[in-house]
Amino acid sequence: MRTRPLKVALLGCGVVGSEVARIMTTHADDLTARIGAPVELAGVAVRRPSKVREGIDPALITTDATALLKRGDIDVAIEVIGGIEPARTLITTAFEHGISVVSANKALLAQDGAALHAAAGQAGLDLYYEAAVAGAIPLIRPLRESLAGDKINRVMGIVNGTTNFILDKMDATGAGYQEALDEATALGYAEADPTADVEGYDAAAKAAILAGIAFHTRVHLDDVYREGMTEVSAADFASAKRMGCTIKLLAILERAADGESVTARVHPAMIPLSHPLASVREAYNAVFVEAEAAGRLMFYGPGAGGAPTASAVLGDLVAVCRNKLAEATGPGESAYTQLPVSPMGDVVTRYHISLDVADKPGVLAQVATCFAEHGVSIDTVRQQGKDGEASLVVVTHRAPDASLSGTVEALRKLDTVRGVASIMRVEGE
Amino acid sequence: MRTRPLKVALLGCGVVGSEVARIMTTHADDLTARIGAPVELAGVAVRRPSKVREGIDPALITTDATALLKRGDIDVAIEVIGGIEPARTLITTAFEHGISVVSANKALLAQDGAALHAAAGQAGLDLYYEAAVAGAIPLIRPLRESLAGDKINRVMGIVNGTTNFILDKMDATGAGYQEALDEATALGYAEADPTADVEGYDAAAKAAILAGIAFHTRVHLDDVYREGMTEVSAADFASAKRMGCTIKLLAILERAADGESVTARVHPAMIPLSHPLASVREAYNAVFVEAEAAGRLMFYGPGAGGAPTASAVLGDLVAVCRNKLAEATGPGESAYTQLPVSPMGDVVTRYHISLDVADKPGVLAQVATCFAEHGVSIDTVRQQGKDGEASLVVVTHRAPDASLSGTVEALRKLDTVRGVASIMRVEGE
Ligand SMILES: NC(=O)c1ccc[n+]([C@@H]2O[C@H](COP(=O)([O-])OP(=O)(O)OC[C@H]3O[C@@H](n4cnc5c(N)ncnc54)[C@H](OP(=O)(O)O)[C@@H]3O)[C@@H](O)[C@H]2O)c1
Ligand SMILES: NC(=O)c1ccc[n+]([C@@H]2O[C@H](COP(=O)([O-])OP(=O)(O)OC[C@H]3O[C@@H](n4cnc5c(N)ncnc54)[C@H](OP(=O)(O)O)[C@@H]3O)[C@@H](O)[C@H]2O)c1
């Protein structure tokens, strides 16, 4: 056992960082035994130096993160500041100074993962970020290492706790979106500005990271099709229930049938109640993985929160420290397949479409013809009429997203179709 | 990229080994890219050399596994023979010849894990065995690496597919044990001699391996309390249903409340239908992990089968080969806590007890007194009487197993108690 400690710079000491610092202090002996050397919190960079931070030696606090990294004795930096800058520059500075990095920063990794991996690789250093996707749930390591001898064909998951909390409330209570969001905000599950969550940006960043790892290719945030869940209504949930489904905001990453490309998307979708993802409650996350040899795996747990996220950060810290002692690095970026990401139009899935139509004979025939002309085959139709108004609910068989878009465009032009009330994809068998 | 291949000796080519060989051949390019060097199947040791083995070059087949390991050019051995001997001697021989080992052998690891780890450590080699527990489900790596910075307090899982298939059938159809076993055998889910599965030996081996890793201590197969599921009856399922429960064969590993010891046990138990493990169907496995910071995690997937198990073996193969190229080793045994394993009597849990009693006044009072005298507090009692016979179903609060055993012994001595029809532990909140 080495007695000279490995020195850690903690960049950021908010929700996640404060828990990282706490566990590093309270569980120091365990970390020492597991790593094979003591780890020492050598400095903590923050924005507001005068803020009282329980359990942290004030002498460690600095507002100059760059100087902390440059002082020459740091082995590992933990970046839990978030956002693009200064996080990106700090991580790059760390690599320039021989410092391996553990980060929880999904936004940055989804945008600049390739460049950061390249910088780590050139410097012969580690860049680990288990905490960036699905909080405490071990996901990146299982995909990258446990399934390294398998071929992953599909990843489908609930990777945003805030939106799952909202959708779960809507499902359980019949509440509308705004009411459920208000409750989530009151309980601390949603931030004051919930845009990143409810518009799917957070899930899209995680989707990009997961897709790259699952398919051994590069997937940028901009490659991910994204639809938020602010339009999901109580009526959609009622429709879903009639079909034996619920609605979840899903990140779905698929290898195309011909194996020559992949798709990555985030959108609300109906899934059957019998699907394991349907029973993921409150702010929990869960990710389904389908691999050629392994079959269907699921990983479930808390997707966020200070302590759970810190657990993932510390798991990475132990690995990076062990690598450092062994003078080795863990697996870096694997993008050798260079599979391109296809546009959303190429995605093949099923659809649930609600139409407001005139309540007169021949409407169904007209609508059905429209679907047929666009090559979208209908699975079921439910017709409901009252007071001269009627609604048609159509569920399709699997069809390319582009064909569905074409169908909807054509439907809107029909005199007998007064409006397209909702369109939602249907996932899961 | 290195072009000289890493050479692999495959020891055993049965259900798992044949799939390992198949994937190594069909996915050679992917493995090369992920490892950073080609891997070559250099030899395949079997018992019956003349058996036709599709896709395997007959020139690679040998019955002399020892000679294969000693020939001097093997980098990694994959042990998928099973059982104690010759597997143990072969693994030891591998280490003596500088060969790292990937194994799927839970029986051997639960019995001789400490010695094998020591041999690997002394030789500076890897011993990986993700496939030994819960087949394709990444579990050992997440526990050992992802949660390396956390404190695991509890692991509770369904780790045997055969028994889960049988119990699921009994639950779904009301069938008795023998009928459900016959169906499992007919469908290939149970072996001709199902003892290892139905008596809980297989699950106990996995429990020992998981407990050691989860609590960073040594847990031997003999330390695991084990009860099979052959006594579980249709009546038990009916009772469970009345309580909103089902019955599963569980492996349960716990840190004692004072943190100074651990317990490891395998037995059938009632769990509430709302518990995620309750909905694990057919031969699937699932493991719940409770960690201090991470919270509650669940891992789910196929627990056995040639291809799923091969997926786990190949994940390990990639890791071991990468380590070899980096001239490093992965994390070895971690047993620094040296926490002792307490006997079953120290386990604290809840109980469901069915008694056949005389149908006369005062019986309940007598029974209740007996529980009270042994310090076991009763949660609910249900009394059912017909034709002078009656049954009492008692569900207790949490109590030490030893107190419960004492209670049952005393109950048997009461004149009014005609028999103890069943005793089952109740797990999960
Ligand atoms: N919270 C979660 O549940 C969760 C889950 C998964 C991943 N993550 C990721 O973890 C990261 C951190 O999230 P968080 O929730 O902990 O954020 P947070 O509570 O807002 O904390 C951010 C920390 O960074 C510090 N900081 C801000 N600008 C800085 C600068 N220029 N130089 C040095 N320090 C600076 C802040 O200092 P002050 O303390 O002085 O303000 C604060 O300590 C993000 O990438 C997030 O996406 C969070
Ligand atoms: N099957 C599963 O689903 C599963 C799941 C998880 C873990 N495992 C574990 O994986 C291991 C292998 O299981 P399996 O189901 O593949 O077993 P299996 O089908 O019985 O195959 C055993 C293989 O070992 C060979 N063999 C037996 N004795 C030998 C000897 N003395 N020297 C050389 N080769 C010998 C056999 O040769 P022949 O082919 O000539 O008979 C056969 O190829 C076991 O440890 C098991 O616990 C299996």
Side-chain angles (χ1 to χ4, degrees), chain B residues 12-16 46-48 53 80-82 86 104-106 304-305 309:
Chain B
C13 192
V15 175
V16 178
V46 297
R47 198 174 28 190
R48 294 165 296 165
R53 299 177 199 265
V80 280
I81 294 174
N105 195 331
K106 51 223 154 196
T309 308

Side-chain angles (χ1 to χ4, degrees), chain A residues 27 30 33-34 136 138 141 145-148 150 216 292-294 296-302 307-308 311 315 318 322 331 336, chain B residues 23 27 30 33-34 138 141 145-148 150 216 292-294 296-302 307-308 311 315 318 322 331 336:
Chain A
H27 291 46
D30 284 312
R34 296 175 193 182
R141 186 173 278 102
E145 304 185 38
S146 307
L147 290 164
D150 207 333
H216 298 265
E292 202 174 82
R296 307 179 84 193
L297 305 170
M298 190 170 84
F299 304 81
Y300 167 95
S311 170
V318 170
R322 280 175 178 163
Y336 71 94
Chain B
I23 299 174
H27 291 49
D30 284 312
R34 295 175 193 182
R141 187 174 276 102
E145 304 185 38
S146 308
L147 291 165
D150 207 333
H216 298 266
E292 201 175 83
R296 306 180 85 192
L297 305 169
M298 190 172 81
F299 305 81
Y300 167 95
S311 169
V318 170
R322 279 175 178 163
Y336 71 93

Side-chain angles (χ1 to χ4, degrees), chain A residues 12-16 46-48 53 80-82 86 104-106 304-305 309:
Chain A
C13 192
V15 175
V16 178
V46 298
R47 198 173 30 188
R48 295 165 296 165
R53 298 176 201 265
V80 279
I81 294 174
N105 196 330
K106 51 224 154 196
T309 308

